[in-house]
CSV table of all heavy atoms in Angstrom, one decimal:
chain,number,residue,atom,x,y,z
A,4,MET,N,-25.1,18.1,-10.4
A,4,MET,CA,-26.4,18.1,-9.8
A,4,MET,C,-27.4,18.9,-10.6
A,4,MET,O,-28.4,18.6,-11.2
A,4,MET,CB,-26.4,18.4,-8.3
A,4,MET,CG,-25.8,17.3,-7.5
A,4,MET,SD,-25.3,17.8,-5.8
A,4,MET,CE,-26.9,18.0,-5.1
A,68,THR,N,12.5,18.3,-10.2
A,68,THR,CA,12.7,16.9,-10.6
A,68,THR,C,11.5,16.1,-10.1
A,68,THR,O,10.8,16.5,-9.1
A,68,THR,CB,13.9,16.2,-9.9
A,68,THR,OG1,13.8,16.4,-8.4
A,68,THR,CG2,15.1,17.0,-10.4
A,71,GLY,N,11.2,15.4,-6.3
A,71,GLY,CA,10.9,16.6,-5.5
A,71,GLY,C,9.4,16.9,-5.6
A,71,GLY,O,9.0,17.9,-4.9
A,104,VAL,N,4.3,12.9,-12.8
A,104,VAL,CA,4.2,12.1,-11.7
A,104,VAL,C,2.6,11.7,-11.4
A,104,VAL,O,2.4,10.7,-11.0
A,104,VAL,CB,4.8,12.7,-10.3
A,104,VAL,CG1,4.3,11.9,-9.1
A,104,VAL,CG2,6.3,12.6,-10.5
A,116,VAL,N,-5.0,21.9,-14.4
A,116,VAL,CA,-4.5,23.4,-14.5
A,116,VAL,C,-2.9,23.3,-14.4
A,116,VAL,O,-2.4,22.7,-13.5
A,116,VAL,CB,-5.0,24.2,-13.2
A,116,VAL,CG1,-4.5,25.6,-13.1
A,116,VAL,CG2,-6.5,24.1,-13.1
A,159,ALA,N,1.3,40.9,-10.9
A,159,ALA,CA,0.5,41.4,-9.9
A,159,ALA,C,1.2,42.1,-8.7
A,159,ALA,O,0.7,42.9,-8.0
A,159,ALA,CB,-0.4,40.2,-9.2
A,174,LYS,N,3.5,32.3,-5.5
A,174,LYS,CA,2.8,31.6,-6.7
A,174,LYS,C,1.6,30.7,-6.0
A,174,LYS,O,0.5,30.6,-6.6
A,174,LYS,CB,3.7,30.7,-7.4
A,174,LYS,CG,4.4,31.4,-8.5
A,174,LYS,CD,5.2,30.3,-9.3
A,174,LYS,CE,6.1,29.5,-8.5
A,174,LYS,NZ,7.3,29.0,-9.3
A,188,ARG,N,-15.3,29.8,-3.2
A,188,ARG,CA,-14.8,29.7,-1.8
A,188,ARG,C,-14.6,31.1,-1.3
A,188,ARG,O,-14.0,31.9,-2.1
A,188,ARG,CB,-13.6,28.9,-1.4
A,188,ARG,CG,-13.5,27.5,-2.2
A,188,ARG,CD,-13.9,26.4,-1.4
A,188,ARG,NE,-15.3,26.1,-1.7
A,188,ARG,CZ,-15.9,25.0,-1.2
A,188,ARG,NH1,-15.3,24.3,-0.3
A,188,ARG,NH2,-17.2,24.8,-1.5
A,257,GLY,N,-5.4,13.5,22.8
A,257,GLY,CA,-5.9,12.4,23.4
A,257,GLY,C,-5.1,11.9,24.5
A,257,GLY,O,-5.6,11.4,25.6
A,271,LEU,N,6.1,12.4,28.0
A,271,LEU,CA,6.4,11.7,26.8
A,271,LEU,C,8.0,11.7,26.6
A,271,LEU,O,8.6,12.8,26.7
A,271,LEU,CB,5.9,12.6,25.7
A,271,LEU,CG,6.2,12.1,24.3
A,271,LEU,CD1,5.2,10.9,23.8
A,271,LEU,CD2,6.2,13.1,23.2
A,305,ALA,N,14.4,7.2,24.6
A,305,ALA,CA,13.0,7.7,24.6
A,305,ALA,C,12.0,6.8,25.4
A,305,ALA,O,11.3,7.3,26.3
A,305,ALA,CB,12.5,8.0,23.2
A,337,LEU,N,10.8,-5.1,29.2
A,337,LEU,CA,11.1,-4.8,30.5
A,337,LEU,C,9.7,-4.2,31.2
A,337,LEU,O,9.3,-4.6,32.3
A,337,LEU,CB,12.1,-3.7,30.8
A,337,LEU,CG,12.4,-3.3,32.2
A,337,LEU,CD1,13.0,-4.3,33.0
A,337,LEU,CD2,13.3,-2.1,32.3
A,353,ALA,N,5.8,3.1,5.6
A,353,ALA,CA,6.1,1.9,4.6
A,353,ALA,C,7.5,1.4,5.0
A,353,ALA,O,8.5,2.2,5.1
A,353,ALA,CB,5.9,2.3,3.2
A,369,LEU,N,2.2,-7.2,13.2
A,369,LEU,CA,2.8,-8.3,13.8
A,369,LEU,C,3.8,-7.9,14.8
A,369,LEU,O,4.1,-8.6,15.9
A,369,LEU,CB,3.2,-9.3,12.8
A,369,LEU,CG,2.0,-10.1,12.1
A,369,LEU,CD1,2.7,-11.0,11.2
A,369,LEU,CD2,1.1,-10.7,13.0
A,414,SER,N,-1.1,3.9,14.6
A,414,SER,CA,-1.8,4.8,13.7
A,414,SER,C,-1.0,4.6,12.4
A,414,SER,O,-0.1,3.8,12.3
A,414,SER,CB,-1.8,6.2,14.3
A,414,SER,OG,-2.4,7.2,13.3
A,417,PHE,N,-1.3,8.0,6.9
A,417,PHE,CA,-2.6,8.4,6.3
A,417,PHE,C,-3.4,9.0,7.3
A,417,PHE,O,-4.0,10.2,7.1
A,417,PHE,CB,-3.3,7.2,5.6
A,417,PHE,CG,-4.4,7.5,4.9
A,417,PHE,CD1,-4.5,8.2,3.9
A,417,PHE,CD2,-5.7,6.6,5.3
A,417,PHE,CE1,-5.7,8.5,3.2
A,417,PHE,CE2,-6.8,6.9,4.4
A,417,PHE,CZ,-6.9,7.8,3.4
A,459,SER,N,-0.5,-4.0,42.0
A,459,SER,CA,-0.6,-2.8,42.7
A,459,SER,C,0.5,-1.9,42.3
A,459,SER,O,1.6,-2.2,41.8
A,459,SER,CB,-0.7,-2.9,44.1
A,459,SER,OG,0.6,-3.3,44.7
A,528,SER,N,-6.7,2.6,9.1
A,528,SER,CA,-7.0,3.7,8.3
A,528,SER,C,-7.7,3.3,7.1
A,528,SER,O,-8.2,4.1,6.3
A,528,SER,CB,-5.8,4.6,7.9
A,528,SER,OG,-5.0,3.7,6.9
A,542,ALA,N,-25.7,-1.0,-1.7
A,542,ALA,CA,-26.8,-0.3,-2.5
A,542,ALA,C,-27.2,-1.1,-3.9
A,542,ALA,O,-28.3,-1.0,-4.3
A,542,ALA,CB,-26.2,1.0,-2.9
A,546,ALA,N,-25.3,-9.0,-0.2
A,546,ALA,CA,-25.3,-9.4,1.2
A,546,ALA,C,-23.9,-9.2,1.8
A,546,ALA,O,-23.2,-10.2,2.0
A,546,ALA,CB,-25.9,-10.8,1.4
A,558,PHE,N,-8.1,-10.0,20.7
A,558,PHE,CA,-9.3,-9.8,20.0
A,558,PHE,C,-10.5,-9.8,21.0
A,558,PHE,O,-10.5,-10.5,21.9
A,558,PHE,CB,-9.6,-11.0,19.0
A,558,PHE,CG,-8.6,-11.1,17.8
A,558,PHE,CD1,-8.1,-12.2,17.3
A,558,PHE,CD2,-8.1,-9.9,17.3
A,558,PHE,CE1,-7.2,-12.3,16.2
A,558,PHE,CE2,-7.2,-9.9,16.2
A,558,PHE,CZ,-6.9,-11.1,15.7
A,566,PHE,N,-18.3,-14.2,12.7
A,566,PHE,CA,-17.8,-14.8,11.5
A,566,PHE,C,-18.6,-15.9,11.0
A,566,PHE,O,-18.7,-16.2,9.8
A,566,PHE,CB,-16.3,-15.3,11.7
A,566,PHE,CG,-15.4,-14.2,12.0
A,566,PHE,CD1,-14.1,-14.4,12.8
A,566,PHE,CD2,-15.5,-12.9,11.7
A,566,PHE,CE1,-13.3,-13.4,13.1
A,566,PHE,CE2,-14.7,-11.9,12.1
A,566,PHE,CZ,-13.6,-12.1,12.8
A,590,TYR,N,-8.9,-18.2,14.9
A,590,TYR,CA,-10.2,-18.7,14.5
A,590,TYR,C,-10.0,-19.5,13.2
A,590,TYR,O,-10.4,-19.2,12.1
A,590,TYR,CB,-11.2,-17.6,14.1
A,590,TYR,CG,-11.4,-16.7,15.3
A,590,TYR,CD1,-10.7,-15.4,15.2
A,590,TYR,CD2,-12.1,-16.9,16.4
A,590,TYR,CE1,-10.9,-14.4,16.2
A,590,TYR,CE2,-12.2,-16.0,17.5
A,590,TYR,CZ,-11.6,-14.8,17.4
A,590,TYR,OH,-11.8,-13.9,18.3
Side-chain angles (χ1 to χ4, degrees):
Chain A
M4 289 168 71
T68 62
V104 167
V116 179
K174 276 189 303 206
R188 317 264 99 174
L271 176 86
L337 175 69
L369 291 180
S414 176
F417 185 52
S459 68
S528 69
F558 290 148
F566 297 157
Y590 307 102

